[in-house]
């Protein structure tokens, strides 16, 4: 499915398509990018395992966590596993670029994936991050859900590899994404 526009207007349909495909393929894990928790909440009870990957603390301002503590508590109480950590493709390389300039391998990979849309780049990134954190099983396909900015507009079936074997990651299917981004 290709959306005519990017962004949160597609969230509900993206979630529905992701859940439908996960069920068709007997995939038990959905990994979702969600900083406010709103998109993650939409997946509760729809698949056996939901992993929510947030921005790292300090993404918007030093020491600031975008997800309110009450939302974290609610998601955890409802069985969602949360991952808040440095982004796979935006960690030390970005820090070096910000300080000294230049372009580094992780940023080249990120920009290359963005050729297919911001949401697809994030889907790949969060699937690998969740695997590295031990929140999803190794060697199993997952459905990853992400968006362009807020909400969700992209979903993909991914067989993630650990970061130290990143190029073994396989994007098996693109379930939906914006055509214009």
């Amino acid at each position: 499915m290709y959306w005519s526009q990017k962004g949160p207007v597609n969230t509900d349909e993206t979630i529905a398509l992701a859940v439908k495909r996960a069920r068709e393929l007997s995939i038990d894990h959905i990994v979702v990018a969600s900083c406010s928790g709103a998109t993650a909440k939409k997946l509760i009870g729809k698949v056996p395992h939901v992993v929510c990957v947030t921005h790292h603390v300090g993404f918007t301002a030093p020491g600031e966590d975008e997800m309110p503590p009450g939302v974290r508590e609610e998601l955890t109480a409802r069985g969602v596993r949360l991952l808040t950590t440095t982004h796979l493709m935006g960690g030390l390389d970005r820090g070096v670029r910000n300080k000294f300039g230049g372009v580094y391998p992780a940023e080249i990979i990120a920009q290359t994936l963005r050729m297919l849309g911001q949401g697809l780049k994030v889907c790949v990134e969060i699937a690998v991050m969740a695997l590295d954190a031990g929140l999803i099983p190794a060697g199993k396909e997952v459905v990853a859900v992400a968006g362009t900015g807020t909400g969700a507009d992209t979903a993909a079936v991914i067989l993630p590899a650990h970061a130290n074997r990143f190029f073994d990651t396989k994007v098996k299917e693109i379930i939906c994404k914006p055509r214009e981004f």
Side-chain angles (χ1 to χ4, degrees), residues 39-166:
T39 305
K41 285 180 187 180
K42 292 176 181 285
L43 285 161
I44 293 172
K46 295 187 175 160
V47 293
H49 305 282
V50 176
V51 176
C52 174
V53 181
T54 74
H55 284 153
H56 62 84
V57 173
F59 185 85
T60 54
E64 183 178 318
D65 185 349
E66 293 176 75
M67 185 176 286
V71 174
R72 283 185 175 280
E73 292 168 12
E74 177 188 355
L75 289 172
T76 301
R78 297 183 72 190
V80 175
R81 298 184 76 187
L82 293 167
L83 177 59
T84 300
T85 189
T86 303
H87 287 72
L88 177 66
M89 295 181 216
L92 289 176
D93 282 358
R94 186 172 295 157
V96 173
R97 177 183 47 85
N98 288 341
K99 182 75 171 177
F100 302 107
V103 178
Y104 298 88
E107 292 183 325
I108 294 169
I109 294 165
Q111 284 301 114
T112 301
L113 286 169
R114 282 187 187 102
M115 291 171 61
L116 298 167
Q118 175 69 15
L120 191 60
K121 188 276 291 185
V122 174
C123 283
V124 170
E125 189 170 37
I126 65 174
V128 172
M129 291 168 66
L131 180 62
D132 277 357
L135 298 177
I136 58 175
K140 300 277 187 175
E141 294 177 1
V142 299
V143 172
V145 176
T148 308
T150 59
D153 58 17
T154 306
V157 177
I158 298 177
L159 179 60
H162 288 286
N164 62 345
R165 291 181 175 82
F166 177 77

